[in-house]
Amino acid sequence: MEQRYYQKDIETMPYEQMRALQSERLVKQVKHVWDNVPYYRSLMEKKGITPEDIKGVEDLHKLPFLTKDDLRDQYPYGLLAKDLKDCVRIQSTSGTTGRRVVAFYTQHDIDLWEDCCARAITAVGGTNEDVCHVAYGYGLFTGGPGLNGGSHKVGCLTLPMSSGNTERHIQFMMDLKSTILCCTPSYAAYIGEALKERGYKPEDNSLKAGIFGAEPWTEAMRQDIQKSLGIKAYDIYGLTETSGPGVAFECQEQSGMHICEDHFIAEIIDPDTGEVLPEGSKGELVFTSITKEAFPLLRYRTRDICVLSRKKCSCGRTLIKMSKPMGRSDDMLIIRGVNVFPSQIETVLLKEGYTPNYFIEVDRVNNTDTLDVYVELSPEMFSDTVKEIAKAEKKLADAIRLMLGIAPVVHLVAPKTITRSEGKAVRVKDKRKLHD
Ligand code: DLL
């Protein structure tokens, strides 16, 4: 494949020059945040630093970390660094109001975010001759809007399909000859199966590449998808807090994702001590956004565990590469593309009058994630009829669905049948193979 870049000067910039650019932008960004976000200013004051202490990337470690808890405490406007009149969009993570992250964008922020997505599309060979089939969710989730914007910038014919309705995907994909598919890897695998069930062979579709992310997936899954769709499958990473997809993207080498370092400075830290680890170490990924205007996060702890590498890449990009995330340093699960914390389920149980004795089982059946929640009946309910218990299970499942946005299967079980733990409670069994 001939190598193409969307912003060649940036993507192939020598490291020293990139570091100088990052330093210049970091200094400006720290001042912007200090001047406009009182909460962040107070965090810096607590650490005894002022913007004058940050002269470049070498001083980054002096800045305080920011966590999801800070975002929650400051919901909705506490971290906003621009007047609302300058903002044109919000995007948000799934989850409860309490756990929701709401990110704000100025038009400039959207423009830069879409550039990152355009880089990702170009890196997989996308041009204005392509038909880009975007099957990530549209709406609050960043997947659809991000890749949609990137696809426009590249000049592809963009199909804003959104998620769900597999029949319609197949129809459009075949009739309009989609060449690039963007969706979660599990949905790509599902589409592959659905095509096969309908008698299509991999060579019957016009797809050449897929841009898959938003959840962990293995190399084995990559091979499966490549085979079933007859394409090359590329990874893409991002999070709502830093804009959305496109923070990092894979190139033809398919061996890790290039981070858009002109917009995000990446660090790897020890999740227990916060100490910055040298390149090549496995640890928690931390991002500092140096170009975002409305919602700039400095040293944001992603909780994703991975490794960074500056090894020369055959694609010519000099941007540092991150490995696939290898796990999380918190208990967040990603189920059917939705971020789920066990504590959200616990909150519903308590609200609905159950004890916090529960067990969550997650699995993947036919490329679709399953969520089973086992909950103990209260002794009073134990004498209820089967019909009444089924009714209670449905009510609880509805309440959990309302909280998470995805439907679980609830199993009410006899009192005292869920194993009590002697130490830290183990409440989750994730049977999926998500990491290599
Ligand atoms: O998932 C943004 C996105 C949309 C990325 C479309 C790629 C494609 P959130 O919903 O805020 O944002 O979830 C962010 O998802 O911290 C990771 O744990 C996980 N994640 C995202 N991409 C990948 C990936 C979007 N390629 C959280 N591999 C992140 C593994 C991923 N995990």
Side-chain angles (χ1 to χ4, degrees):
M1 184 171 86
E2 185 206 339
Q3 193 50 59
R4 296 196 185 89
Y5 310 96
Y6 181 68
Q7 288 165 315
K8 186 168 184 205
D9 290 356
I10 298 279
E11 294 173 63
T12 61
M13 186 178 272
Y15 170 64
E16 285 310 319
Q17 208 180 322
M18 176 60 77
R19 201 172 153 96
L21 178 70
Q22 287 184 327
S23 287
E24 183 197 318
R25 290 181 171 177
L26 174 67
V27 168
K28 234 171 99 190
Q29 188 71 302
V30 170
K31 176 131 194 353
H32 171 56
V33 169
W34 171 272
D35 288 344
N36 295 292
V37 185
Y39 180 74
Y40 208 86
R41 187 181 183 136
S42 74
L43 289 184
M44 283 174 67
E45 280 168 348
K46 261 188 229 149
K47 276 203 102 183
I49 56 166
T50 65
E52 286 67 49
D53 295 307
I54 310 297
K55 300 203 164 55
V57 179
E58 63 283 5
D59 296 320
L60 187 63
H61 67 97
K62 295 179 185 164
L63 289 167
F65 289 118
L66 208 63
T67 65
K68 230 187 199 24
D69 283 341
D70 291 307
L71 267 59
R72 207 178 52 212
D73 290 346
Q74 294 306 306
Y75 172 90
Y77 297 125
L79 289 165
L80 194 60
K82 276 284 196 184
D83 286 344
L84 269 186
K85 70 171 168 47
D86 298 321
C87 298
V88 298
R89 168 105 65 87
I90 66 144
Q91 301 285 164
S92 176
T93 54
S94 57
T96 60
T97 23
R99 286 279 183 183
R100 256 194 199 289
V101 169
V102 173
F104 297 83
Y105 304 71
T106 61
Q107 186 53 52
H108 184 65
D109 292 334
I110 292 203
D111 202 36
L112 300 186
W113 172 30
E114 291 179 351
D115 280 346
C116 294
C117 291
R119 290 178 193 175
I121 293 170
T122 310
V124 310
T127 69
N128 58 2
E129 291 182 10
D130 278 292
V131 178
C132 187
H133 188 113
V134 185
Y136 285 111
Y138 279 66
L140 289 173
F141 180 57
T142 54
L147 281 140
N148 194 94
S151 172
H152 275 231
K153 286 210 166 196
V154 176
C156 304
L157 174 66
T158 309
L159 312 189
M161 302 295 301
S162 201
S163 50
N165 201 339
T166 309
E167 214 50 65
R168 191 174 60 190
H169 280 296
I170 292 178
Q171 189 197 336
F172 276 70
M173 190 175 278
M174 301 311 282
D175 293 350
L176 298 179
K177 303 199 178 348
S178 308
T179 56
I180 298 176
L181 173 64
C182 307
C183 61
T184 58
S186 38
Y187 198 51
Y190 185 77
I191 291 180
E193 264 177 22
L195 282 169
K196 193 172 167 199
E197 273 167 22
R198 286 158 185 75
Y200 290 112
K201 290 199 267 320
E203 56 274 23
D204 292 338
N205 69 61
S206 305
L207 292 172
K208 61 178 188 189
I211 304 181
F212 307 131
E215 62 181 10
W217 54 310
T218 56
E219 276 305 317
M221 197 163 169
R222 190 203 301 262
Q223 299 308 327
D224 277 356
I225 297 173
Q226 295 197 148
K227 234 181 20 236
S228 72
L229 290 173
I231 60 169
K232 286 265 182 209
Y234 300 92
D235 206 349
I236 185 165
Y237 171 90
L239 52 161
T240 313
E241 293 89 319
T242 56
S243 62
V247 170
F249 60 87
E250 247 180 5
C251 63
Q252 61 188 27
E253 246 199 27
Q254 295 180 302
S255 63
M257 296 173 270
H258 289 286
I259 295 175
C260 291
E261 288 186 279
D262 51 328
H263 301 306
F264 307 101
I265 306 178
E267 298 171 276
I268 291 287
I269 62 159
D270 177 326
D272 298 323
T273 62
E275 183 202 348
V276 180
L277 302 177
E279 186 202 322
S281 319
K282 182 170 161 182
E284 183 182 329
L285 184 58
V286 172
F287 279 120
T288 297
S289 54
I290 44 177
T291 49
K292 275 175 48 151
E293 295 178 336
F295 200 64
L297 301 185
L298 305 183
R299 300 197 90 203
Y300 181 67
R301 294 187 57 165
T302 64
R303 301 288 176 188
D304 289 315
I305 302 292
C306 74
V307 176
L308 296 180
S309 162
R310 244 184 224 291
K311 231 173 83 197
K312 198 166 179 313
C313 186
S314 65
C315 75
R317 287 179 183 79
T318 47
L319 303 172
I320 199 166
K321 272 171 59 173
M322 63 178 271
S323 66
K324 271 184 180 299
M326 302 159 172
R328 304 244 336 146
S329 69
D330 63 5
D331 57 356
M332 187 180 94
L333 299 156
I334 305 183
I335 307 174
R336 281 173 238 152
V338 174
N339 303 350
V340 171
F341 289 91
S343 57
Q344 292 175 284
I345 295 178
E346 184 167 323
T347 307
V348 178
L349 297 184
L350 295 175
K351 218 167 103 199
E352 294 288 317
Y354 293 88
T355 62
N357 293 310
Y358 65 97
F359 189 74
I360 299 169
E361 198 171 83
V362 188
D363 204 349
R364 189 166 279 173
V365 181
N366 296 334
N367 295 309
T368 303
D369 293 334
T370 59
L371 168 62
D372 287 84
V373 184
Y374 296 86
V375 187
E376 284 185 4
L377 285 162
S378 58
E380 309 81 68
M381 288 174 89
F382 191 44
S383 54
D384 284 356
T385 63
V386 173
K387 207 168 142 198
E388 276 164 324
I389 290 178
K391 214 166 115 194
E393 282 176 338
K394 176 158 185 329
K395 181 165 179 275
L396 189 51
D398 284 347
I400 295 175
R401 183 176 49 80
L402 213 65
M403 173 71 112
L404 304 180
I406 53 166
V409 176
V410 168
H411 309 264
L412 289 175
V413 297
K416 306 248 180 316
T417 48
I418 289 179
T419 322
R420 303 294 190 265
S421 126
E422 286 173 6
K424 229 162 128 74
V426 181
R427 303 206 181 283
V428 180
K429 183 164 188 184
D430 194 340
K431 293 161 89 179
R432 301 171 295 180
K433 184 174 177 338
L434 298 178
H435 306 286
D436 287 306

